[in-house]
């Protein structure tokens, strides 16, 4: 049996980390299904789907971050982290975007309905 999964019926804020736990140029993964990647781009936080839209590589585990883009480690598609748009093939579909907010010194991502928050 796998770990228990809670079904999220409404969008909700999920704490990602403290601001100083995610340095500029770094990424972390939120424990949702499908996973959400949260990036620090020059001190601003952005969230996208973690899976590459080409063939489902984990961008937080296997991607490379440079100049506000994440490059997939499998076939080198690139995406703009801020917008999710494809900036280099072979991917054709943008990454899904998620709202991020900073409250005090904590980073939160808004997880919409339909994405499971792993318990
Ligand atoms: S899985 Fe990302 S480019 Fe192919």
């Amino acid at each position: 049996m796998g770990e228990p999964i809670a079904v999220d019926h409404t969008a909700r804020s999920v704490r990602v980390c403290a601001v100083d736990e995610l340095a500029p140029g770094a990424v972390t993964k939120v424990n949702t299904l499908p996973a959400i990647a949260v990036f620090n781009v020059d001190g601003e936080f952005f969230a996208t789907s973690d899976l590459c839209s080409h063939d489902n590589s984990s961008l937080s585990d296997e991607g490379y971050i440079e100049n506000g883009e994440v490059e997939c480690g499998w076939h080198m598609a690139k995406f703009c982290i801020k917008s999710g748009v494809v900036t280099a093939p072979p991917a054709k579909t943008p990454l899904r975007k998620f709202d991020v907010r900073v409250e005090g010194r904590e980073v939160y991502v808004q997880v919409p309905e339909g994405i499971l928050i792993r318990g």
Side-chain angles (χ1 to χ4, degrees):
M1 291 190 30
E3 60 187 292
I5 296 174
V7 177
D8 179 23
H9 294 291
T10 59
R12 65 178 114 164
S13 289
V14 172
R15 182 187 178 274
V16 178
C17 61
V19 167
D20 56 8
E21 290 175 328
L22 190 62
V27 60
T28 190
K29 189 187 311 189
V30 181
N31 194 17
T32 56
L33 189 64
I36 295 173
V38 179
F39 300 84
N40 181 332
V41 178
D42 299 329
E44 283 189 84
F45 297 91
F46 301 93
T48 70
S49 51
D50 181 54
L51 297 182
C52 177
S53 62
H54 176 242
D55 201 17
N56 291 336
S57 167
S58 167
L59 296 171
S60 63
D61 288 340
E62 306 193 59
Y64 304 93
I65 300 165
E66 191 171 38
N67 297 326
E69 295 180 323
V70 57
E71 180 182 59
C72 177
W74 284 10
H75 311 111
M76 297 181 283
K78 289 185 181 180
F79 304 88
C80 171
I81 293 169
K82 292 183 182 181
S83 67
V85 302
V86 178
T87 55
K92 295 178 180 171
T93 304
L95 298 176
R96 185 173 180 182
K97 292 282 301 157
F98 302 92
D99 292 332
V100 176
R101 75 175 202 283
V102 175
E103 267 188 29
R105 302 298 296 163
E106 307 290 325
V107 181
Y108 294 86
V109 63
Q110 193 73 14
V111 178
E113 187 174 353
I115 292 187
L116 306 181
I117 298 170
R118 288 157 101 58

